Amino acid sequence: MFDFSIVTTWIDSLLRQTLGLGDFLSILIECVLVGVAILTAYALIAIVLIFMERKVCAYFQCRLGPMRVGPWGIFQVFADVLKMLIKEIFVVDKADKFLYYLAPVLVIVASVGTFSFLPWNNGAQVLDFNVGIFLLTAISSIGVLGIFLAGWGSNNKYSVVSAMRGAVQMISYEISLGLCIISAVLLTGTMQISGIVGAQGSAWLIFQSPFTWIAFLVFLIAGNAEANRGPFDLAEAESELTAGYHTEYSGMGFGFYYLAEYLNLFVISGIAATVFLGGWMPLHVVGLDGFNAAMDYIPGIIWFMGKTFAIVWILMWIRWTFPRLRIDQILTLEWKYIMPFMLVVLALTTVWIALV
C-alpha cells in the first residue's frame, strides 16, 4: 500500500535542501501546513456529519429532512454556519466570565487534540508517540472540564445540574473505555497507535481473540456515553434542562460545543476503527492471497474512512432508536454491569494471551 511518509519526506527535503531553509523555518512551515490540514479536515468532517445526522434522523422518522437550501438540502449546514457566525455573543450578568469563556476553548482543544491522533493512512498520522493511546485518553479527558466549567461558570441552575450529570457520566464511562483499550494493548503489545494498526496486518483485532468482539461492543456503548450521545444525552435533556450546560451560550460559543459533539462522534468511531478494525489496514483472509492482493489496491484512507463512517452510522442508528435513559440507569449500567463485566473480559484476555 502507498506510504504517505514519502510525501512528507519530500516536503521536508524540499524545504531544507532545495529552498535552503534552516531547521527552525522548515519545522515552522511544516507545523503550519499540518495545522491548516487538521483544521480544514476538522471543519469539513463536521459539516458532513451534521448533514448526515439530519438525513439519518429524517430517515428513521419517515420524513425528508432539510430539502430547501440547495439540491437535497446540501447547503443547509452552510447557511446554519453563516447564521451562527453573525449571531450576537452575550454573557449572563452574574456569570464567571473567565470560566464562561474558557469552557468552550477546553472542549475544542480536547476535540482537536484527539482528532490529531487518528491514523488516516500508512504514514499519514500527525501524532504518533510510543505512548499514543495513553496520551489520547488523557487529552480526551480535558473535555470533561469544558462541560463542567460551562455549567458552573454560566450561573444557571439548569446548566449546573447538566454539568454535574455530564461530568459524572463521562468520568464513569472513561473507565470502561480504558479497559477496552487496555485489552487491545495487551493483544498488540504496544501503546503506539501505528504499532496497533501494524499488528493487525494479517487479521483485524476483532478476529484475533474471542473476547475482542465483546470489548468492541462495550467500546461503542461507552464511547456513545462519552460523547454525550443518545440514549446517554442526559446532560442535554431538552425536556428537563433546556439546552443543558450550553444554555447560556450564543453565537460561536454555542457553535464550539455543537462542533465538538459531532467531531467527538467521529473521533470515537475513528478510535474504534483503528483499535479493533485495523484502521487503514485492508481486510485480509489467511490463505486467500489473491483476495488479499486485491484488497491492497484500495487506498488506506478509503479503508479508514469507510470503517469510521460505518461506525458513525451505527451510533446514529442507536441514538434515533432507543429512548433516553435516566441518570440513575446510566450510572447503574456502568458501575454494576459494564465495568465489572469488562474486568472479567480483561482477565480472560490475559489468560488467552498466556495460553495462546
Side-chain angles (χ1 to χ4, degrees), residues 169-180:
Q169 174 180 312
M170 294 175 72
I171 292 173
S172 298
Y173 279 87
E174 278 180 358
I175 300 174
S176 294
L177 279 176
L179 293 174
C180 295

Side-chain angles (χ1 to χ4, degrees), residues 80-343:
D80 293 338
V81 170
L82 178 62
K83 180 188 72 173
M84 197 169 293
L85 288 172
I86 61 178
K87 279 277 189 179
E88 178 185 0
I89 299 177
F90 61 87
V91 185
V92 183
D93 290 338
K94 295 184 179 181
D96 188 320
K97 302 289 193 301
F98 177 72
L99 298 181
Y100 181 87
Y101 287 115
L102 177 64
V105 176
L106 291 178
V107 170
I108 287 295
V109 167
S111 181
V112 175
T114 52
F115 184 76
S116 303
F117 279 91
L118 297 179
W120 302 87
N121 200 349
N122 185 19
Q125 185 173 345
V126 178
L127 300 177
D128 188 25
F129 301 101
N130 59 346
V131 288
I133 283 292
F134 176 78
L135 287 176
L136 189 150
T137 54
I139 293 174
S140 66
S141 300
I142 300 175
V144 180
L145 294 176
I147 290 176
F148 184 77
L149 294 181
W152 185 264
S154 295
N155 193 30
N156 180 302
K157 293 180 180 178
Y158 290 116
S159 299
V160 171
V161 173
S162 169
M164 295 296 292
R165 285 183 178 183
V168 170
Q169 174 180 312
M170 294 175 72
I171 292 173
S172 298
Y173 279 87
E174 278 180 358
I175 300 174
S176 294
L177 279 176
L179 293 174
C180 295
I181 293 177
I182 289 173
S183 65
V185 171
L186 288 175
L187 286 167
T188 57
T190 179
M191 286 195 292
Q192 189 168 4
I193 295 178
S194 61
I196 292 175
V197 176
Q200 302 178 68
S202 58
W204 298 347
L205 207 64
I206 56 174
F207 302 124
Q208 294 186 19
S209 165
F211 308 106
T212 318
W213 272 100
I214 302 173
F216 175 63
L217 295 176
V218 171
F219 187 92
L220 294 184
I221 297 171
N224 221 13
E226 185 74 9
N228 279 319
R229 301 274 302 175
F232 300 96
D233 56 341
L234 259 293
E236 303 174 36
E238 299 89 353
S239 58
E240 305 172 29
L241 303 174
T242 314
Y245 52 86
H246 48 64
T247 297
E248 302 295 350
Y249 284 90
S250 63
M252 282 311 297
F254 171 77
F256 282 161
Y257 284 103
Y258 194 65
L259 189 66
E261 177 186 342
Y262 284 96
L263 263 297
N264 288 338
L265 170 64
F266 184 84
V267 168
I268 289 294
S269 303
I271 296 172
T274 299
V275 173
F276 298 101
L277 301 179
W280 48 263
M281 280 288 183
L283 176 63
H284 285 166
V285 180
V286 178
L288 299 181
D289 295 336
F291 175 81
N292 297 339
M295 293 295 101
D296 288 339
Y297 282 106
I298 302 176
I301 191 171
I302 301 298
W303 280 108
F304 177 77
M305 295 296 286
K307 297 171 187 176
T308 302
F309 272 99
I311 297 174
V312 166
W313 189 85
I314 292 173
L315 295 181
M316 289 183 178
W317 182 6
I318 293 173
R319 176 181 182 179
W320 297 108
T321 301
F322 294 99
R324 181 182 295 132
L325 300 175
R326 298 196 313 263
I327 186 64
D328 62 309
Q329 293 173 330
I330 289 176
L331 297 181
T332 299
L333 177 65
E334 164 63 12
W335 291 102
K336 289 188 176 181
Y337 298 101
I338 293 182
M339 188 189 70
F341 182 66
M342 274 309 302
L343 288 173

